[in-house]
């Protein structure tokens, strides 16, 4: 079975940085998409960044230029480097994965959903 486990969250001052990690187990698709989502208290869940097997990426406008999504296939790890953090970045951050044979653009154009989810890691940014 596929399991995802996030880590790396914490409290940081505005302008600081954090790197989130997501360890995947029981997951080995030759074609896949992975993503980071976040949900702040009282807010709707938001897709922050996503990446496909070819390294193609998509970022939410709110984090472009500040966050970088990456993966290490050999280690089955997904990362989110978060720089220049703002209070509005405060949220629970979740990693997600899905079989994604045609890449991110196709996946998103079809309105498909991610199948596998972690339990989240809290990020709190103070002003």
């Amino acid at each position: 079975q596929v399991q995802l486990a996030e880590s790396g969250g914490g409290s940081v001052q505005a302008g600081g940085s954090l790197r989130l990690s997501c360890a995947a187990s029981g997951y080995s698709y030759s074609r896949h998409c992975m993503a980071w989502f976040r949900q702040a208290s009282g807010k709707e869940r938001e897709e922050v960044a996503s990446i496909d097997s070819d390294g193609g990426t998509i970022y939410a406008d709110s984090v472009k230029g500040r966050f970088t999504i990456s993966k290490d296939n050999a280690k089955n790890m997904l990362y989110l480097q978060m720089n220049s953090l703002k209070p509005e970045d405060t949220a629970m951050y979740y990693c997600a994965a899905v079989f994604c044979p045609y890449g991110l653009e196709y996946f998103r154009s079809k309105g498909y959903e991610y199948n596998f989810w972690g339990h989240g890691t809290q990020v709190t940014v103070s002003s």
Side-chain angles (χ1 to χ4, degrees):
Q1 61 181 24
V2 175
Q3 292 186 321
L4 303 175
E6 303 95 335
S7 62
S11 297
V12 64
Q13 293 183 339
S17 298
L18 285 172
R19 190 187 74 162
L20 305 185
S21 299
C22 175
S25 62
Y27 182 85
S28 184
Y29 297 125
S30 58
R31 302 292 298 180
H32 61 269
C33 293
M34 300 189 74
W36 288 97
F37 288 78
R38 68 185 181 187
Q39 186 166 27
S41 296
K43 303 292 185 179
E44 190 172 324
R45 188 181 65 193
E46 174 188 26
E47 186 171 351
V48 176
S50 51
I51 187 167
D52 62 28
S53 298
D54 297 321
T57 57
I58 297 176
Y59 294 92
D61 288 341
S62 58
V63 306
K64 285 181 179 177
R66 300 189 298 120
F67 290 11
T68 302
I69 188 171
S70 62
K71 59 185 175 69
D72 185 336
N73 291 331
K75 296 181 180 295
N76 293 322
M77 295 289 291
L78 178 74
Y79 304 102
L80 184 68
Q81 179 65 47
M82 306 185 294
N83 298 326
S84 302
L85 283 162
K86 304 174 181 179
E88 51 262 45
D89 296 318
T90 295
M92 283 289 294
Y93 283 72
Y94 303 87
C95 64
V98 68
F99 175 55
C100 188
Y102 306 116
L104 277 173
E105 296 293 346
Y106 179 84
F107 181 79
R108 295 191 66 173
S109 72
K110 303 296 286 187
Y112 292 161
E113 297 181 346
Y114 286 83
N115 300 116
F116 308 108
W117 295 81
H119 293 297
T121 185
Q122 178 68 40
V123 171
T124 302
V125 184
S126 60
S127 60

